Amino acid sequence: MELVLCKWVFGFLLSCWLIFTVSCSGWIKPSLFDGIPNGDMLDGTQVQLKSVTLQKYVSAEEGGGMSVTVDRDIPSSWETFRVLKGHVASKEQNVLLFSLNRSKRDGDGREDVRARRGLVMGSGEGMGNCSVDGGDGGKWRAVGLERLWRVSESEFQFRTFQGQFLTCDGYRSSVSATAETPSRTETFYIERNSNSRAHLKLKSGIYLQASIGNQLTADYPGTPGWDDNAATFEMTIVANNLHGDYQLANGYGLDKAKDVMKKHRNSFITMEDFDFLYRHGINAVRIPVGWWIAYDPNPPVPFIGGSLKALDNAFSWAQTYNIKCIIDLHAAPGSQNGMEHSASQDGSTGWPTSPDYISQTLNVIEFLASRYAKHPALLGIELLNEPSAAGVPLDLLVSYYKQGYQIVRKHSSTAYVIVCQRIGNADPLELYQANIGSTNIVLDLHYYNLFDTFFVNMSTIDNIQFIYKSRETQLQTLNSANGPLVFIGEWVNEWNATSGSQKDYQDFGRAQLEVYNAATFGWSYWTLKNDRKHWDFEWNIRNDLLQLGRSPDVKISNILALLGTAGICFFLHDIL
């Protein structure tokens, strides 16, 4: 569970609020994933397989839709095949990168924090196309990334670049990458030893082997040992970046996941945290929720029930402390950005590809608006968090936002309707021109001096100057554009600098507070609690790195004293 701090500005009223998140994201609380068997092979994990006898890598020809061969000398890395940025790779790089995705379920990230949080105002995210020219006239096309789907701790399905699954009809058959949907013939057992070697076996018990003809065939005689034989492969886990609700629930299985999430929800964020927020002048909480909350207490597998009760508790606690709540739809069916915090199974962005997903999402907004519209603690509803610019077309998103606005207005004439800027290469002004709704519209921007090579070599002074020269200028432009209110929905007192002193962090935090105070709807900090201390709001306050009472904008403390309230945004993402 997380909590994020924010300041709310409405008209001439100026106050502070916080975003409060109940989350199972692995970068927020990694220990939640510690008990998962084969925990390095979660849904979306990328692996390479190399035949120990042929010394060749397994590859899906043309990225899927054709045969599977064992004939590549050089593997691609996970980063090289992140076609979401349109990178062009060599022919040798179109080697197999299986992703581990769990099956039996409905439906990048960045390394470390980048994989967990969305990039805004930077390079694009999502799935894209990549032409691969081998130099010999052969041209392949890779779409997205191959990913593993996890059926159990030892059973997996392999999805190719183009979305097909590896399949094998049985004994003496060759493996191909031609199945559009996974079932029994697309499910493989993976046996591992302690030396990174692996066997692949059909459900019938037949082992796969790399044939002399460079094919992957189901005809190895008997049971292989771990010596150099045709059924043994070196397995390299290239990336295991997705640690969200989907991975946790599907990794543990239903019963164990229920227990893990119940303990987490009952202990990570409690009523005492609302008391902390109140005492530190926070007046609202932003609560991210997953789409499955509308089906609570029995959501579709693998998701875990209980999120609706957690949201009800948050509203109750907020009302006790005169704190307002924003409900933020953080995870849409199919995933709107391919990241773990949108509950993507394997890193793909499926939400914009299916009218059914969009219709289902609107039904979730209907559910939330009808349930909470009359609650005295409701401040607003955010229709969708961080849609990907690379994956979600603007016209489709605007149409969704307009329909979502009308749904909220059907139940409330005053609740704020918050629309989030697309992450990646997108201009926030694109939503100013969209005419989404006529009253109480808010544009949510997320500001991080992270997640882009632009910030890598910046000094403390460089980072601070960027806040004043770039962020402040953009906010001034947006504030004067006669459009929606502006909300800096996420920011953090962290950067790429590795040797910042306490004073450096104080100065950086002070600069952000000073600039973001100008946002016409306010700001929110990511997050209340986090294993990464600079992302932890409580830690920043207790260690005097964020000095709210000493913000240059004296209006904040004056208004807070006048209102006598605390603001917190409750962001229920993974847990809900």
Side-chain angles (χ1 to χ4, degrees), residues 360-407:
Q360 187 178 5
T361 308
L362 292 168
N363 289 339
V364 175
I365 298 299
E366 175 81 40
F367 170 81
L368 294 170
S370 63
R371 184 179 181 90
Y372 295 102
K374 306 305 180 184
H375 198 291
L378 180 70
L379 180 65
I381 294 177
E382 185 158 3
L383 299 178
L384 190 64
N385 179 73
E386 295 186 347
S388 165
V392 180
L394 179 60
D395 58 347
L396 183 148
L397 181 65
V398 168
S399 173
Y400 165 75
Y401 279 161
K402 288 182 176 180
Q403 293 176 77
Y405 174 87
Q406 293 299 328
I407 290 172

Side-chain angles (χ1 to χ4, degrees), residues 464-484:
I464 291 173
Q465 288 303 309
F466 182 82
I467 298 299
Y468 288 116
K469 293 181 179 179
S470 179
R471 306 290 197 210
E472 187 170 36
T473 299
Q474 184 180 63
L475 277 176
Q476 290 171 346
T477 300
L478 295 174
N479 285 342
S480 62
N482 193 30

Side-chain angles (χ1 to χ4, degrees), residues 103-104 149 151 155-158 165-168 179-188 203:
S103 72
K104 298 184 180 175
W149 287 18
V151 180
E155 297 173 277
F156 300 90
Q157 296 163 340
F158 298 88
F165 292 85
L166 300 196
T167 184
C168 184
E180 296 298 328
T181 57
S183 62
R184 178 182 175 86
T185 55
E186 288 74 50
T187 302
F188 302 87
K203 292 184 75 67

